[in-house]
Coordinates of all heavy atoms in Angstrom, one line a residue:
N1 N 5.3 6.3 -7.2 CA 6.5 5.7 -7.0 C 7.5 6.2 -5.9 O 8.1 5.5 -5.2 CB 7.4 5.9 -8.3 CG 6.9 4.9 -9.5 OD1 5.9 4.2 -9.1 ND2 7.5 4.9 -10.5
I2 N 7.4 7.6 -5.8 CA 8.2 8.1 -4.6 C 7.6 7.8 -3.2 O 8.2 7.5 -2.2 CB 8.4 9.7 -4.7 CG1 9.3 10.0 -6.0 CG2 9.0 10.3 -3.5 CD1 9.3 11.4 -6.3
L3 N 6.2 8.0 -3.2 CA 5.4 7.8 -1.9 C 5.5 6.5 -1.4 O 5.7 6.3 -0.2 CB 4.0 8.1 -2.4 CG 2.9 7.8 -1.2 CD1 3.3 8.9 0.1 CD2 1.5 8.0 -1.6
W4 N 5.5 5.5 -2.3 CA 5.7 4.1 -1.8 C 6.9 3.8 -0.8 O 6.8 3.1 0.0 CB 5.6 3.0 -2.9 CG 4.5 2.9 -3.7 CD1 4.5 2.7 -5.1 CD2 3.2 3.0 -3.5 NE1 3.3 2.5 -5.6 CE2 2.3 2.9 -4.5 CE3 2.4 3.3 -2.3 CZ2 1.0 2.9 -4.7 CZ3 1.0 3.4 -2.3 CH2 0.3 3.1 -3.4
K5 N 7.9 4.5 -1.1 CA 9.2 4.4 -0.5 C 9.2 5.1 1.0 O 10.1 4.9 1.8 CB 10.4 5.0 -1.3 CG 10.6 4.3 -2.5 CD 11.5 4.9 -3.3 CE 11.7 4.4 -4.8 NZ 12.7 5.2 -5.6
K6 N 8.2 5.9 1.3 CA 8.3 6.9 2.4 C 7.2 6.3 3.5 O 7.3 6.8 4.7 CB 7.9 8.3 2.1 CG 8.6 8.8 0.7 CD 10.1 9.1 1.1 CE 10.7 9.6 -0.1 NZ 12.1 10.1 0.2
I7 N 6.3 5.4 3.2 CA 5.1 5.1 4.0 C 5.5 4.2 5.2 O 6.3 3.4 5.0 CB 4.1 4.4 3.2 CG1 3.5 5.3 2.1 CG2 2.8 4.1 4.2 CD1 2.7 4.6 1.1
D8 N 5.0 4.7 6.3 CA 5.2 3.8 7.7 C 4.0 2.9 7.9 O 4.1 1.7 8.4 CB 5.3 4.7 8.8 CG 6.7 5.5 8.7 OD1 7.8 4.7 8.9 OD2 6.6 6.7 8.6
R9 N 2.8 3.4 7.5 CA 1.6 2.6 7.7 C 0.5 2.9 6.8 O 0.4 4.1 6.3 CB 1.2 2.8 9.2 CG 0.3 1.7 9.7 CD 0.2 1.7 11.3 NE 1.5 1.2 11.8 CZ 1.9 1.3 13.0 NH1 1.1 1.8 13.9 NH2 3.1 0.8 13.5
V10 N -0.2 1.8 6.5 CA -1.3 2.1 5.4 C -2.6 1.7 6.1 O -2.7 0.7 6.8 CB -1.2 1.2 4.3 CG1 -2.3 1.1 3.3 CG2 0.0 1.7 3.4
H11 N -3.8 2.5 5.8 CA -5.1 2.4 6.2 C -5.8 2.0 4.8 O -5.9 2.8 4.0 CB -5.6 3.4 6.9 CG -7.2 3.5 6.9 ND1 -7.9 4.6 6.7 CD2 -8.1 2.5 7.2 CE1 -9.2 4.3 6.6 NE2 -9.4 2.9 7.0
T12 N -6.4 0.9 4.7 CA -7.3 0.7 3.5 C -8.7 0.4 4.0 O -8.9 -0.1 5.2 CB -6.8 -0.5 2.7 OG1 -7.6 -0.7 1.5 CG2 -7.0 -1.8 3.4
I13 N -9.6 0.8 3.3 CA -11.0 0.6 3.5 C -11.6 -0.7 2.9 O -12.8 -1.0 3.2 CB -12.1 1.8 3.2 CG1 -12.0 2.0 1.7 CG2 -11.7 3.1 4.0 CD1 -12.9 3.1 1.1
S14 N -10.8 -1.4 2.1 CA -11.4 -2.6 1.6 C -10.1 -3.5 1.1 O -9.0 -2.9 0.8 CB -12.3 -2.4 0.3 OG -11.6 -1.9 -0.8
D15 N -10.4 -4.7 0.9 CA -9.3 -5.7 0.4 C -8.9 -5.2 -0.9 O -7.8 -5.4 -1.4 CB -9.8 -7.1 0.6 CG -10.1 -7.6 1.9 OD1 -9.7 -7.0 3.0 OD2 -10.6 -8.7 2.0
D16 N -10.1 -4.9 -1.8 CA -9.8 -4.8 -3.1 C -8.8 -3.5 -3.4 O -7.9 -3.7 -4.2 CB -11.1 -4.4 -3.8 CG -10.9 -4.1 -5.4 OD1 -11.0 -5.1 -6.1 OD2 -10.8 -3.0 -5.8
L17 N -8.9 -2.4 -2.6 CA -8.1 -1.3 -2.8 C -6.6 -1.7 -2.4 O -5.7 -1.2 -3.1 CB -8.5 -0.2 -2.0 CG -9.9 0.5 -2.5 CD1 -10.3 1.7 -1.5 CD2 -9.8 1.0 -3.9
Y18 N -6.4 -2.5 -1.4 CA -5.1 -2.8 -0.9 C -4.4 -3.7 -2.1 O -3.2 -3.5 -2.3 CB -5.1 -3.6 0.3 CG -3.8 -4.1 0.8 CD1 -2.8 -3.3 1.4 CD2 -3.5 -5.5 0.7 CE1 -1.6 -3.7 1.8 CE2 -2.3 -5.9 1.0 CZ -1.3 -5.1 1.6 OH 0.0 -5.6 2.0
N19 N -5.2 -4.6 -2.5 CA -4.6 -5.5 -3.6 C -4.1 -4.7 -4.8 O -3.3 -5.0 -5.5 CB -5.6 -6.6 -3.9 CG -5.8 -7.7 -2.8 OD1 -4.8 -7.9 -2.1 ND2 -6.9 -8.2 -2.6
R20 N -5.1 -3.7 -5.2 CA -4.8 -2.9 -6.4 C -3.5 -2.1 -6.1 O -2.7 -1.8 -6.9 CB -5.9 -2.0 -6.6 CG -7.2 -2.5 -7.2 CD -8.3 -1.5 -7.4 NE -9.4 -2.0 -8.0 CZ -9.8 -1.8 -9.3 NH1 -9.0 -1.0 -10.1 NH2 -10.8 -2.5 -9.7
A21 N -3.2 -1.6 -4.8 CA -2.1 -0.8 -4.4 C -0.8 -1.7 -4.6 O 0.3 -1.2 -5.0 CB -2.3 -0.3 -3.1
I22 N -1.0 -3.0 -4.3 CA 0.2 -3.8 -4.3 C 0.6 -4.0 -5.8 O 1.8 -3.8 -6.1 CB 0.0 -5.2 -3.7 CG1 -0.4 -5.1 -2.3 CG2 0.8 -6.2 -4.1 CD1 0.9 -4.8 -1.5
K23 N -0.4 -4.1 -6.7 CA -0.1 -4.1 -8.2 C 0.5 -2.9 -8.7 O 1.3 -2.9 -9.6 CB -1.4 -4.5 -8.8 CG -2.0 -5.9 -8.6 CD -3.3 -6.1 -9.4 CE -3.9 -7.5 -9.1 NZ -5.1 -7.8 -9.7
L24 N 0.1 -1.7 -8.0 CA 0.7 -0.5 -8.5 C 2.2 -0.2 -7.9 O 2.8 0.8 -8.1 CB -0.3 0.7 -8.0 CG -1.6 0.7 -8.7 CD1 -2.5 1.7 -8.1 CD2 -1.5 1.1 -10.2
G25 N 2.6 -1.1 -7.0 CA 4.0 -0.9 -6.6 C 4.1 -0.9 -5.0 O 5.4 -0.8 -4.5
L26 N 3.1 -0.8 -4.3 CA 3.2 -0.8 -2.8 C 3.9 -2.0 -2.3 O 3.6 -3.2 -2.7 CB 1.7 -0.7 -2.3 CG 1.9 -0.7 -0.6 CD1 2.4 0.5 -0.1 CD2 0.3 -0.9 -0.1
D27 N 4.9 -1.8 -1.4 CA 5.6 -3.0 -0.8 C 4.6 -3.7 0.2 O 4.1 -3.1 1.1 CB 6.9 -2.4 0.0 CG 7.8 -3.6 0.5 OD1 7.3 -4.7 0.5 OD2 8.9 -3.2 0.9
S28 N 4.6 -5.1 0.0 CA 3.5 -5.9 0.8 C 4.1 -5.9 2.2 O 3.4 -6.3 3.2 CB 3.4 -7.2 0.1 OG 4.7 -7.9 0.2
N29 N 5.4 -5.6 2.5 CA 5.9 -5.6 3.9 C 5.6 -4.3 4.8 O 5.7 -4.4 5.9 CB 7.4 -5.7 3.8 CG 7.8 -7.1 3.3 OD1 7.3 -8.1 3.7 ND2 8.9 -7.1 2.4
I30 N 4.9 -3.3 4.1 CA 4.4 -2.2 4.9 C 3.3 -2.6 5.6 O 2.4 -3.2 5.2 CB 4.2 -1.0 3.9 CG1 5.5 -0.5 3.2 CG2 3.6 0.2 4.5 CD1 5.2 0.6 2.1
E31 N 3.3 -2.2 6.9 CA 2.2 -2.5 7.7 C 0.9 -2.0 7.2 O 0.9 -0.6 6.9 CB 2.3 -2.1 9.2 CG 3.6 -2.7 9.8 CD 3.8 -2.2 11.3 OE1 3.5 -1.0 11.5 OE2 4.3 -2.8 12.2
C32 N -0.1 -2.8 7.1 CA -1.4 -2.3 6.5 C -2.5 -2.7 7.5 O -2.5 -4.0 8.1 CB -1.6 -2.9 5.1 SG -3.1 -2.4 4.5

């Protein structure tokens, strides 16, 4: 919850992991 507010950029190794992170609260506007 705290981390999601601090991130400037995300690296994902698969679509699935990114979509799971969105469900966990990651802001979809953060550059990925």
Side-chain angles (χ1 to χ4, degrees):
N1 283 2
I2 296 175
L3 178 63
W4 295 148
K5 301 172 185 177
K6 314 287 182 174
I7 300 168
D8 292 293
R9 198 160 291 168
V10 167
H11 159 227
T12 186
I13 59 174
S14 71
D15 295 348
D16 182 85
L17 293 179
Y18 177 77
N19 291 327
R20 283 175 182 261
I22 294 294
K23 292 177 182 178
L24 290 169
L26 176 70
D27 187 346
S28 61
N29 290 316
I30 293 173
E31 293 178 334
C32 182

